[in-house]
Amino acid sequence: MPTPARAVLALLPLLHGAAAIRSPRARAATPRAAAPRMRLPALCVLDLDMCVWSPEMYELREMPGKAVRGELNGRGAGVVGVMSGAAQITLHRGALVALQEVHDGLYPGMRLAVASSADTPLAEQIGRAAMRVLEALPGVSVYDVLTRGWDWADGEALNLQIGRQPPLSSDKSRTHFPTLRAVTGVPYDQMLFFDDSLWSDHCAMVERNCPGVVTQRTPRGMTELEWRRGLQKFAECAAASKES
């Protein structure tokens, strides 16, 4: 029969394991581990409609109103939707994961920007208002994550190029991206762009007219796989460029 001291020693590994075991909810509530080391873009540019969120803003007729609360990908309760009339604006899962990981600091040196050709002034207004209500984490809005790391002198978030009213247009490669390059100082070959490219093939247009930008299509709204595939594609392109 083991002595009391030996019995306690025998239990220590079990006690240690029990302390390490947490519920799935508790595990998800902590920031994720650092991403695998890879070459990252200096600027990750996101489309909004049908990439970051649904539905298309041009389909809506009312400014965002009631917030809808729910679980933010296991990271706690927060605003998962916002109502515009009878329609609910919600983030696609891959976009939520991306915003959470950026906020967690998994991609050092990479900042976010937006290139969205919202069809009408009202669509632009609805989108800008929605990003201040929707949350990536409890108490952290989508707007907070998108503007993190930027310090604009006049308070205007110039990394958020939204709309198609002059000086912008429906062609992101001719207006949104040259503007982002000018205001951020980031060259095209340091940019990664996510876009659904359903109505106009913005990915192809940007690749053609803004040489160096790496693009990733999100035809049904950004998935987690597409988020990771885009990052991997950029890393591979950067490595190939360095070798050539």
Side-chain angles (χ1 to χ4, degrees):
M1 179 175 180
T3 65
R6 288 181 177 177
V8 171
L9 290 173
L11 285 172
L12 282 178
L14 297 176
L15 293 172
H16 178 75
I21 296 172
R22 294 171 290 172
S23 68
R25 184 186 183 92
R27 285 198 302 271
T30 59
R32 294 172 178 80
R37 187 173 181 83
M38 65 172 68
R39 181 76 178 273
L40 297 171
L43 193 66
C44 179
V45 186
L46 304 173
D47 177 37
L48 292 176
D49 294 1
M50 300 309 297
C51 178
V52 167
W53 59 36
S54 290
E56 299 266 6
M57 297 297 102
Y58 80 87
E59 299 174 349
L60 307 177
R61 295 294 178 266
E62 298 182 27
M63 292 295 290
K66 179 183 176 182
V68 179
R69 295 185 64 80
E71 192 68 23
L72 291 166
N73 190 32
R75 301 291 296 276
V79 180
V80 299
V82 60
M83 302 305 297
S84 171
Q88 180 173 323
I89 305 170
T90 57
L91 298 178
H92 289 287
R93 173 176 167 75
L96 177 58
V97 169
L99 293 168
Q100 289 178 338
E101 291 185 349
V102 170
H103 184 270
D104 289 343
L106 267 61
Y107 308 106
M110 184 182 81
R111 291 183 288 181
L112 299 179
V114 166
S116 170
S117 55
D119 295 64
T120 66
L122 177 59
E124 177 186 347
Q125 292 169 17
I126 292 173
R128 289 185 181 276
M131 67 174 59
R132 291 179 178 271
V133 180
L134 292 167
E135 291 184 336
L137 291 162
V140 180
S141 71
V142 170
Y143 178 85
D144 292 337
V145 183
L146 290 174
T147 57
R148 185 178 185 180
W150 298 106
D151 184 19
W152 303 113
D154 58 2
E156 182 183 1
L158 298 178
N159 63 310
L160 307 181
Q161 294 296 314
I162 305 173
R164 59 178 63 190
Q165 291 69 49
L168 298 179
S169 71
S170 60
D171 186 345
K172 299 176 187 182
S173 71
R174 299 295 187 186
T175 53
H176 296 64
F177 273 84
T179 300
L180 286 173
R181 182 176 60 174
V183 300
T184 67
V186 177
Y188 288 149
D189 64 0
Q190 289 298 310
M191 295 185 188
L192 170 62
F193 177 44
F194 292 86
D195 192 283
D196 63 286
S197 293
L198 287 177
W199 305 107
S200 297
D201 194 346
H202 289 291
C203 285
M205 294 161 70
V206 167
E207 287 179 349
R208 181 172 60 251
N209 298 322
C210 308
V213 179
V214 176
T215 70
Q216 173 64 49
R217 289 173 173 78
T218 62
R220 288 172 293 279
M222 187 189 291
T223 65
E224 186 173 351
L225 176 62
E226 289 163 345
W227 167 242
R228 307 207 184 285
R229 183 178 292 160
L231 291 170
Q232 184 63 37
K233 185 187 294 186
F234 180 88
E236 292 171 355
C237 289
S241 176
K242 187 175 180 179
E243 292 173 359
S244 63

